[in-house]
Every structure is written in C-alpha cells, then in structure tokens.
Amino acid sequence: WSSDVCSSDLDPQLKGNDIVNPINTLWTLLAAFLVFGMQVGFTMLEAGFCRSRETVNVLMECVVDTCLCGLLFYAWGFAFMFSHGNGFIGLNWFFLQGAPATYETTGVAFLAFWLFQFAFADTCSTITSGAMIGRTAWIGDLLYSFCVSGFIYPIIGHWAWGPDGFLATMGSAGNFLPDLGTGFHDFAGSTVVHSIGGFVALAGSIVLGPRLGRRFKRDGGGPMMPHDLTIACSGGLLLWFGWYGFNPGSTVSAMDYIGIGRVAANTTLAACAGGLVAMFVAYVMSKKWDMSFTVNGFLAGLVAITCPCYWVSPLGSIILGGVAGVIVVAGVELLEYLRIDDPIGAVPVHGMCGIWGTWSLGLFATGEYGATGPFAADNSAPLKGLFYGGGTQLLMAQIIGNAIIVVATFVVAMI
C-alpha cells in the first residue's frame, strides 16, 4: 500500500437501498417465522378443544394442510393473489417463474415476501378445519384444503390485496365505485384471512351437520366438553405470540419502526380487552369462570385488531377488542341456538369478529396515519373514521368490501 491512498477511498460505496432492503427483508422473514409458528398454536388449540377420539385426525389435518398449502402457493396460489392481472385474479409468476428479485415497491426479496404470504395462506385453511372436527373424513380434509389454499383464499384475497385488485383500487377514477372516494383497507387480514377462513368454516359446519351425539341447549344438551384445556390454552397463547408476526410484520418494513411499535401495542391491548370482557360476559351467563370463552375472547380481540391495527389508537384498540369479546360469546350462543356444531368456535372468533374488526376501522381510524412504506411511513393521506370526524366514507368502503368478500366466500364454499 502506498501511503498516499486514503482509507476512505477503499470503503465500499453503499447506497440507502443496500442497507434498507436487507433489513426490511430480514424483518419480513422474522415475521414469516412467527406467523408460521401459529401452526403450532392452531394444532394445540384444536387438539385441546376437541374430544380425545378426534385428536389424531386434527393433528394429521394441520400438518398435511401446511405441506399442501406450501406447494399450492408455490404453483399458482401466490400468482393468483399477488401478481398483476386484472381486478379479479393475478396472471403472472406461476411456479414463481419470471419473478423479479424484489416484490413490487417493497424492496423485500421476492421469496421472503412469498414465504410471509404462504404463512398467511396456511393460517386461513387451518382456521377452517376447527369447525369441521369430528365429522370430516381424511379425504374430505384434503379436498377442502386444496380448494381453500389453491383457489378460494388466493383468488378472493387478490380482490383486496392484489396490486390491481378491484377492492384495493375501489373508489378511484376508472375503477369500481369511483364516487366512493376511498379503497377497501385491511392491514393484516381481518377480512382476507379471518373472514374467509371463518365463512368457509361456517359453510362446512352447516353442510356436515353436528357430530354424532351432539345435543344442543335447546334440546336439553350442551357443548361437548374439550378433553385437554391445558393444551388448548397453551395453543391460544402461542397464537397470540405468533400474531406479533402477523400484524407488525404486515408493514413489510422495519424502517417504519413507529408503525411497528404502534401495531404491536394495539394488538396486545385488543387481546387483553377481548379476553377479560369475554370472561365476564360468559360468567354473567353461566355463573362459571369459563376457560374456553376466555381463550376465544383474547383470540377474538386479536382477530378484530388485525384489520385496523395500523390506523387506530391504543384506546380505540381496547374498545374494539372489548366489543369483540362480547361478539364472540354472543356468536357461540347464536350458533348453539341455530344448532350449528363448531367445536372450537372458528366461526364466531374468525368469521364474526373478522367482520367487526374490518368495520371498526371505519369508526376508530384516528386520521393521523396513512400508509406504511419501505423507508418511512407516508401519512400524507391519513384514514379518518366516523368517531374522529371522518364521516361515513371509510365505514361504507369497509362494509362494502367486507360484504363482497364474505358473501363470495360463503357461496363458493357452500358449492
């Protein structure tokens, strides 16, 4: 080395993206691993809430569903959902062919984004299985998993989350309902993941009918008792843990660190409120402190906050989580009255609270936050809900988008 070469000349010249993109990719992968960990939670929750004779079927279903979903999402699920096509379906990147290095404008490595979204798809079809425990043959499990992971979730999900989905672009000139003035928003999937899963579950439990020997309260019976509440409760808490990948990870950006913190805090508070409210409401009804209602209560709060988590305040999160705690207990009682057998409460938790969470954005969005971004948040066009003086515009967009997805899902699932 000659003494006249300055050390700074030898330093690599790094641009912002050289640092930002790897950090955002790492954050997305970390979130993907957390969301994938929810499979452990679902497996334990369903195995604990079912009867002992149904356990092995639940275990097999959860594991094989995951394996099947991965291959389907590789082959065409991701293409249908997240590639460009038209307002109804994506038409590129089948078998991940022709994919760019990074996904759209996120700067996140394409395959890291794929993994994150596979974990979401896996969650959706696992939600479904819980309502059909005890009367679905193994071949039946495979068939509906194939349909949910391969077609229902990715195609209907494209409407809201695809780069050109008709609900995502709704309210803008030349698109669906241009006079509405705002699109449909679902930050992490109260509608896209939970309502779709919940309403496939509802269709399944209606078509299958109740388990043999299941007598409803109207007929002098009651719910079949879960065989292992220790496993069920532990599974519920693991789901809560995994939700910290589900919601904060949906920023797909570690640079929006304020947004991540807000989402994580809101997620926590909604779960806490949901669990306590459900516990008290169930106690008023039955004069018992009910473990299963308490677990489903905090899960209901988590489902509800999944859509609005980026745009609401901590106080709003507590209120909407508490409302979810009431809805889940009322929903379980409604299904009991209608003689619909849903062993783990998938329909009230994911279906009904998914609807409430999606609508709640139109009520509780504070008008401070806009969109997340790869370098920082973009709050130039914040979302404002009814309770913060934003009128009913956002609420209408949420109700319309949610209703279209729920009805389409239920009709297709019934067929």
Side-chain angles (χ1 to χ4, degrees):
W1 298 96
S2 62
S3 58
D4 57 344
V5 176
C6 175
S7 67
S8 62
D9 295 338
L10 302 174
D11 289 342
Q13 293 300 309
L14 283 174
K15 298 189 290 294
N17 281 352
D18 296 337
I19 302 167
V20 170
N21 289 357
I23 291 174
N24 287 347
T25 298
L26 196 61
W27 165 244
T28 303
L29 282 172
L30 177 67
F33 304 153
L34 278 167
V35 178
F36 186 80
M38 291 172 78
Q39 290 306 314
V40 185
F42 274 120
T43 305
M44 291 169 69
L45 185 81
E46 292 180 18
F49 273 153
C50 73
R51 295 174 296 175
S52 55
R53 54 176 284 199
E54 296 155 353
T55 309
V56 177
N57 181 270
V58 169
L59 302 180
M60 272 300 279
E61 192 283 325
C62 287
V63 171
V64 175
D65 176 48
T66 298
C67 301
L68 188 63
C69 180
L71 295 180
L72 291 171
F73 219 61
Y74 155 77
W76 61 73
F78 185 88
F80 284 163
M81 191 161 179
F82 287 101
S83 75
H84 290 266
N86 54 45
F88 291 94
I89 192 168
L91 299 170
N92 296 285
W93 304 333
F94 293 101
F95 296 91
L96 303 183
Q97 295 301 301
T102 58
Y103 181 75
E104 296 291 299
T105 56
T106 61
V108 169
F110 188 89
L111 289 177
F113 187 78
W114 175 86
L115 186 77
F116 182 62
Q117 294 302 343
F118 148 68
F120 272 61
D122 195 13
T123 299
C124 183
S125 57
T126 308
I127 289 167
T128 308
S129 64
M132 299 197 264
I133 288 170
R135 58 260 202 245
T136 313
W138 172 232
I139 298 301
D141 282 334
L142 288 178
L143 285 172
Y144 80 72
S145 284
F146 184 82
C147 293
V148 174
S149 296
F151 299 96
I152 296 176
Y153 172 75
I155 294 173
I156 296 179
H158 178 84
W159 304 351
W161 280 358
D164 47 10
F166 78 90
L167 294 177
T169 59
M170 178 171 76
S172 55
N175 290 308
F176 183 55
L177 300 180
D179 297 339
L180 197 58
T182 185
F184 174 71
H185 293 81
D186 187 358
F187 192 75
S190 287
T191 291
V192 175
V193 179
H194 297 287
S195 286
I196 290 180
F199 279 87
V200 176
L202 178 61
S205 43
I206 290 172
V207 169
L208 289 165
R211 289 170 289 179
L212 293 175
R214 170 78 157 98
R215 292 177 68 223
F216 295 91
K217 288 182 182 175
R218 290 170 70 184
D219 310 317
M224 289 176 165
M225 287 296 103
H227 87 278
D228 193 335
L229 277 176
T230 306
I231 288 181
C233 178
S234 302
L237 289 168
L238 267 174
L239 284 170
W240 187 339
F241 178 62
W243 235 286
Y244 291 123
F246 212 90
N247 289 3
S250 293
T251 58
V252 213
S253 165
M255 296 296 125
D256 185 8
Y257 60 96
I258 294 173
I260 292 171
R262 180 173 67 252
V263 169
N266 287 345
T267 299
T268 305
L269 291 168
C272 295
L276 286 177
V277 169
M279 178 185 77
F280 282 116
V281 172
Y283 180 79
V284 169
M285 282 170 25
S286 69
K287 296 293 177 282
K288 293 190 182 72
W289 300 108
D290 191 307
M291 185 68 241
S292 52
F293 269 130
T294 308
V295 171
N296 273 343
F298 73 68
L299 292 175
L302 288 164
V303 169
I305 195 64
T306 297
C307 165
C309 56
Y310 191 82
W311 297 289
V312 298
S313 68
L315 177 61
S317 304
I318 292 170
I319 296 169
L320 71 89
V323 172
V326 177
I327 290 171
V328 72
V329 179
V332 169
E333 293 304 311
L334 176 64
L335 291 187
E336 183 76 20
Y337 181 76
L338 296 172
R339 297 191 177 96
I340 295 172
D341 183 15
D342 174 3
I344 68 161
V347 177
V349 171
H350 300 279
M352 297 177 189
C353 292
I355 292 174
W356 159 244
T358 307
W359 293 12
S360 72
L361 174 66
L363 302 172
F364 291 99
T366 62
E368 296 172 73
Y369 313 111
T372 187
F375 294 99
D378 173 12
N379 294 325
S380 58
L383 299 185
K384 186 179 278 193
L386 181 64
F387 295 161
Y388 288 81
T392 57
Q393 180 192 35
L394 183 58
L395 181 61
M396 287 308 301
Q398 293 304 98
I399 292 174
I400 290 166
N402 177 258
I404 288 171
I405 286 180
V406 162
V407 171
T409 301
F410 186 68
V411 169
V412 172
M414 284 300 272
I415 293 168

